Amino acid sequence: MQKYSDLQNEEGKEDKAPMKQHFGNYMLPIRDALEIFGGKWKIPIITALSFYDTCGFKELEKIIEGITPKMLSKELKFLEENMLVTRQVKNTRPIKVEYSITEYGKTCSSVMRALYRWGIEHRKKILDIETEEQTWKEC
């Protein structure tokens, strides 16, 4: 059985098409992850709910500086559809809605910690400064 890298065209040059197909299959889960974590607000929302476990809508709005209510609502709905966040309506007056990170959502914590650590190292390298590491749950 030939390896992808062993395939050659008539001119003796390596044929990249099979490699491209293999690479495309490799990239599919990465694209899925980027869809979940992409954008300006999803990571801050996941991180906030990881820190605070449960938050009301207005609390999240205050914690995540700069997000509009419309954008927060849109992103929470997306994260809920992807089973990372749950929404619970409390039967109170006035009605209160609370958002929580799901058990599945907690599986993102290793990704968040890796991004956090990489970000610190990147800042040190690019800015050539010593940054003070802040503690993150079980970093």
Side-chain angles (χ1 to χ4, degrees):
M1 178 180 218
Q2 282 186 315
K3 294 180 185 175
Y4 289 116
S5 59
D6 292 341
L7 297 175
Q8 296 180 346
N9 60 22
E10 306 88 49
E11 298 163 3
K13 294 181 181 175
E14 188 178 308
D15 189 3
K16 298 285 185 184
M19 186 62 103
K20 183 177 180 182
Q21 181 182 7
H22 178 68
F23 181 73
N25 292 338
Y26 175 81
M27 289 302 297
L28 191 58
I30 294 172
R31 287 184 184 152
D32 291 344
L34 287 174
E35 183 179 352
I36 297 297
F37 299 122
K40 185 176 180 179
W41 302 112
K42 292 178 187 115
I43 289 175
I45 293 168
I46 292 167
T47 304
L49 290 173
S50 294
F51 265 80
Y52 297 105
D53 292 325
T54 300
C55 290
F57 188 87
K58 289 290 185 187
E59 291 172 304
L60 280 171
E61 205 176 346
K62 288 176 186 172
I63 292 167
I64 304 166
E65 197 172 305
I67 194 166
T68 64
K70 184 177 178 179
M71 183 56 73
L72 179 58
S73 179
K74 177 185 171 222
E75 297 292 47
L76 284 166
K77 186 175 279 191
F78 176 86
L79 294 171
E80 187 180 2
E81 288 169 356
N82 283 278
M83 302 185 311
L84 300 173
V85 168
T86 58
R87 178 181 186 266
Q88 185 176 19
V89 179
K90 299 286 185 174
N91 192 14
T92 59
R93 293 206 182 243
I95 291 176
K96 184 175 181 177
V97 178
E98 291 185 339
Y99 294 90
S100 301
I101 192 89
T102 63
E103 285 302 313
Y104 178 60
K106 290 177 184 177
T107 64
C108 297
S109 64
S110 60
V111 175
M112 299 300 134
R113 283 193 301 271
L115 284 170
Y116 176 79
R117 286 191 300 267
W118 187 88
I120 286 173
E121 292 305 314
H122 177 69
R123 290 182 72 78
K124 285 179 185 176
K125 185 161 187 76
I126 298 301
L127 301 175
D128 197 32
I129 59 170
E130 290 295 319
T131 57
E132 189 176 309
E133 287 192 37
Q134 298 174 359
T135 59
W136 181 338
K137 286 183 182 177
E138 301 172 286
C139 245

